[in-house]
Amino acid sequence: MKFFVLICFIKCAVSLAPTENFTYNRTLISPDLFTVFWKHDKTEATFEIHFKDSRWAMFGIWGSNFSDVIMAWLNNDQTGHFSDQRLLPNNELILDSEHNWILLDAFYKDGTNVFKFKRFIDLSCKTISKEDLNIQPGLIKIVFATGNNLNPIKIAEPNQIEFELLSNNYGPYSCPIPVSAKVLNSKPTEYYSNIFELIPGVYNLYWNYTDTEIVFEIHCKTNGWVGFGLSPNGGMDKSDVVIGWISDGRTNFTDRHIQGRSVLIDEKQDWHLLKSYESNGVNVFKFKRSIKLCDPDDSIIVKGTPNVIFAFGLNDPLPGQDINYHNDNRGSTKINLITSSKVNVQNDEPDSEILDINIENLVLPKQDTYYYCKGFKIPKNLTQKRHIYKYEFIFPEINYKRMHHSLLYECEPGYDGENPKYEDGECYTDSIKGKYCQVISLGWAVGGEKVFYFPKDAGYPIGGDTEYSFLVLELHYDNPKLDIGFIQKSTLRFHLTKNLRQKELGVLTLGTDSSPYGIAIPPQMDQFSIKSYCFNDCLNQKLSDQNINIISANPHTHLSGLEVSTKIIRKGKDIGYLFRNEFYDFNYQNSYILNPPVQITKDDELITECIYKTRDRTKFTYGGLGTRQEMCFHFLTYYPRQSTFKNCLSVPSGESYYSLIQQIKKNENLNLPEFNSSTFYQTVNKMYQLLDKKQISDNLRKTFKEFYDNTKVSQICGKYTENQHEQIKISELYVEPDPCKEVSQNDSKLSNVVNMIVNFFRKIFNFFSGLF
C-alpha cells in the first residue's frame, strides 16, 4: 500500500488544472503530454484525461483477451469523438455495441485536450455485456496511447503501466441503489402513432388523426385538474382549451376558451370526452374533436407547427367552484399535430435491403444550438438502381430530447464529395454544403413521425444511374443548458427494393437565391414578405410532355421565418395554395404529405412567398448559409422524376437593383461607386455595409418593402437567365372553401325545408279547423 500512497498523493506538475478536485493523478507520458486524474466511491470511478501534441488518446483497462478502452479526440471546430471500444491482442480496435464509459465533459484549452468520463466499477450494475472489464482492486494494468493519424482502427504501439486505481478504504464495491426514473405509471388505452412527453414523468400526450378528426389522450400525474389546448402564439389569451378533473369518481370535462386570464366555458362543446379515469395518481382523459370547427371559440388545427399549451393544478376545485391557479405547472411547445393526410402503413418488400446513414460517438461543442452535417457517398456496390420505399429516423434514448430536427440534402449531379473535399461538421459554416448540397429531400422534426412510407406505387431512386451520388444528413441538436453534447448513435435508415415502382420521385426547389442579392430584410419588421416566381416559360419548357404531381412539401427558411407558402396560377387564374405553413418554425421542420397529390401543369405559374419577422434585430438580415442569415425555399417531392428539372428560382433583376441603389444613394446620402455590370456585386455589398452602420429609418424600411413588392425579377430555370419578368399580379385571389359557411348554408337550407313542412301542415290544420 506504500506504493499506492506514493503515486496517488504526489502533486504532479501539469499546465492545466483539472475541472474538479480529484483524489489521485498520474502522468502517463512525461513531462505532461498525457495525464490521468481520477476518483472513486463504492460504485463509480470518474476519470479525466489531459493530453497534448496529439490528435487522439486511448485509455483503459488491460485484459488478456481484450482491453476495455475509450478513444477520444477533438477537432478544430470543437466537435469530436468519444467511443467505448475493445483493443484486441493484435492491437485492432472494435467498437462496443453499447456505451459503458459515459462522457461528462470535453473541451480544448491552452493547448490541452480534456475528456472527463465515468463508469461503474462493477459493470454488472449496468449491463450483462461481455464487451467490458470490471475495475479490480489491487495492481492492474492500464493501457494507453496517443497519436496523430485520422480515425485509427489499429494502435501501432500501445503502452502499459501497472498501478492501483482503487483504494481499499472504499471497499467492498457494490452497485448503487437504483433511482427510479421519472416515468408515468400508466399506459395509453390504444395504439397511438404520435407521442410527446410534455413534462418528463408528469404529463404525456398521445394522438391519432384522420383527414377530418383528431383523437387526443393526455396522462397527467396530479391530484388536481388537467388542462390542454391550442394557442395562437404560445400564450394563454385567445387559446382553445379543455379542462378536466375527476372528483369522487365523477368526471368534469369542458371545452373552454381563454380571454385574458379568464378560462371561460364554450357555449357549444366541440371537444368530446371518450374516456376518463384515475389510476395510481395519474389522471387520464381521452377525447376527440374535428380538425376544422365552426365555433368562433374554437381553433382550426392546421398543417404546420401550431402552439400547444398545457397546465395542471395540484388539487381538484372545491364543489361549486372553478379551477385554481396552476403556478409553475404549465408550459407551451410547438408540435406537428398533423403533417397532412396519412399514407397507409405497408408491409416491407420481399427483397427489402437496408442502408444506414449513421452519426455516432459524436462530441458536440457547448452551444445552445448546433447543426451538425455528415456527408454520405452512395456505396459503389449499388450499381443497380433501387427505390427507397420507406425510411425511418432511429434516435438513441440518451439525449433524444435534444434532437430537434433532421434533414437529408441531395447534392448536385457530378459532386461526389471529393472535389472539393466534403468535411463533416457544422452545417452553416461549410460553403461546400451551401454550394453543392441545398436540396432537402426528406426530414423529421419534433412531433413528427419517425417512420415514413412513400405511396405504394412510388419510390425515391438511389444508386445505379441516379444523377446524384452524394448526400448530406443534417442533425439539429438543442442544448439550452450548455451541457456537453454527445450523440451515441443516430441513424437514418433507408428500406430499398430492386423492384422499381411505377412512379419515380424527384425534388423540385422553388424560392430565391440565398445571398444579399436575393434576400435583404430590414430590422424591426413584424412581417416582411419576399416573393419568388416560377414562370410559365420555365414550366412550359420543362413539362412540355407531361404534368408532375406533388406528394410532399418541405418549406425552409432560417430563424426569422414566420410563414412559407406556394400558390398555383393556372392560365392566369389563382387556383389556391399548393401548400401553406402558416406557423413555420425553423426548429420544427418537417415533410408534409399531400394526399391526394397536387398537380402542376405546363400551363401553370408558381408564386412562393416567405414572410419574416425581424422585430428583435438592429441590422439588416441577408440571405446566406448562417442561421441568423436567411433562406426562402420550398422543396417539393414529386413524380415522375425529371432529371433536368431541379429548381425554378427567381431573384430581383439588375435593372431593379440599379433603381434601388440610386434611390437609397440619394435618400440616405451614401457614397457609393458607379453602378454597372462589372461593379454590380461590389456596389451592392458596399451599400449594405454602409446601411449596417446607420440607424435604420421607417422610410428605408418602406423603400425595401416597395422594392420587393414591385421589383422585376430574373429567373433561374436550371440556370440563370438575364431575361426579366414582371411580377405575377393576381387580379382575383382564390378564396379557400369555408366549411363553416357551407355548414351554415346547409343548416339554413334544412331550416327552410323544416319551415316549409311546418307551414304546410299549419295550413292544412287551419283549413280543417275552418270546416268545423
Side-chain angles (χ1 to χ4, degrees), residues 727-742:
Q727 291 191 31
I728 301 169
K729 300 297 183 183
I730 304 173
S731 57
E732 184 177 350
L733 290 174
Y734 174 79
V735 179
E736 298 282 346
D738 186 349
C740 298
K741 186 176 181 180
E742 292 176 6

Side-chain angles (χ1 to χ4, degrees), residues 646-700:
K646 297 293 185 180
N647 56 55
C648 189
L649 314 172
S650 71
V651 292
S653 70
E655 178 183 308
S656 295
Y657 244 112
Y658 175 77
S659 299
L660 174 68
I661 289 172
Q662 293 301 109
Q663 182 180 357
I664 292 176
K665 183 177 180 180
K666 177 181 177 181
N667 294 344
E668 302 294 325
N669 194 27
L670 298 183
N671 184 19
L672 293 174
E674 288 300 318
F675 182 90
N676 55 54
S677 58
S678 62
T679 63
F680 173 79
Y681 296 106
Q682 177 187 353
T683 306
V684 173
N685 284 335
K686 183 67 174 178
M687 178 182 73
Y688 287 131
Q689 289 172 10
L690 294 175
L691 289 179
D692 281 339
K693 296 177 182 179
K694 295 176 66 69
Q695 184 75 27
I696 305 303
S697 64
D698 289 340
N699 186 57
L700 187 60

